Amino acid sequence: MLTLPFDEQSSNQTISSVRMSWTSNKLVKLIKPEIDRAPEESLDTRREDELRDVEVKEEESEAGDPAWLRRRASQKKKLSHSRLDRVRLRRIEANARERHRMHGLNNALDSLRKVVPCYSKTQKLSKIETLRLAKNYIWLLSEILSTGKRLDLLTFVQTLCKGLSQPTTNLVAGCLQLNTCSLISQPDEESLSLYAAYDHHPGPEAGGSTTAGSGRSLRPFGSFCSPFESVNDSSSPDSSGSLDMGTLSPPFNFSGLFTLKHEEPVDYRSCHNGLRYCPINQTSSSDLGPYDIQLRGQFYQVQGELNKPFHN
DNA sequence: TAGGCCATCTGGTCCT
DNA sequence: AGGACCAGATGGCCTA
């Protein structure tokens, strides 16, 4: 029987990924000569047992069966014996390919996690939540681009969190608070406008060369305005929508609205990033400026609104 | 302990 | 024939 080379595990790999990584290529290399040498042995003991059961049944049936049936059974047996090893090998190779494919998919999902609002290495969004958040995010950006209207914070987060679970919603809300804190650290910026965050990220039309905020006609996230002032006349991301998506460019990277994701991921559960994370109950009110208090009030409002559906 | 999430295995289907 | 893709099954891990 083969022994698994677990001594080759790297320290930062999960058991599953280790199981995968060494099996992907090494297993085939290990298995192939092993199969060539001893076809009756296989790593997949479950499959092995099933196949053995089939053979036993065949042998049992041969005892009292007519000649033609014995002949057929014999052919079947000969066939399975001659192809069994190859089938096993192909199955192992297919498994490796499938793992590789799924890893590619997961890598793509990781990339997606990094460009949607709320990115944390320690508190990773689930796959489904990542996709939902990305969908809402794309819809919001498209809506902002097409209408050019200002978005109030409440509407923005509400739309962003549509269909998300409560933990994810809380995470998004936490990210939101995080960013308002980072804005507070720049008191000279125009009336705490979320638009300020946009200045850190050039749009697609800039092609990476144009500095953002220099006479843009776009107003992705305006100053705080009254709730439900702007985009409520439009369809929601869950509805069919009436947006003309044909003229839209690929989504901007507005991730700076929430976190400076490409610098250093934030652990929302631990406060070690200074101003970038200001937990409500860990910062004394004396540290807060008037803006901060106002924003916190709005944050509570947002969080309360967001949690409403979950409490009903 | 139940439920959610995930990685992996597996067989089926489609395409080249 | 073989690879890509898909969906169901399964078992492990984690958390409330």
Side-chain angles (χ1 to χ4, degrees), chain A residues 192-207:
Chain A
L192 292 177
S193 170
L194 290 178
Y195 186 51
Y198 164 75
D199 288 344
H200 299 297
H201 297 269
E205 76 277 20

Side-chain angles (χ1 to χ4, degrees), chain A residues 269-272 277-285 287 296:
Chain A
R269 291 179 292 194
S270 63
C271 179
H272 61 275
Y277 177 45
C278 309
I280 297 165
N281 50 7
Q282 291 186 22
T283 309
S284 69
S285 58
D287 297 329
R296 283 173 192 282

Side-chain angles (χ1 to χ4, degrees), chain A residues 220-270:
Chain A
F221 311 117
S223 308
F224 291 113
C225 52
S226 62
F228 308 109
E229 180 182 315
S230 51
V231 297
N232 289 334
D233 54 339
S234 301
S235 56
S236 75
D238 288 330
S239 65
S240 57
S242 57
L243 286 172
D244 179 15
M245 304 295 287
T247 60
L248 293 176
S249 301
F252 287 16
N253 179 3
F254 285 115
S255 53
L257 177 64
F258 294 96
T259 62
L260 302 175
K261 283 176 283 196
H262 296 295
E263 294 178 11
E264 189 181 351
V266 180
D267 181 359
Y268 303 111
R269 291 179 292 194
S270 63

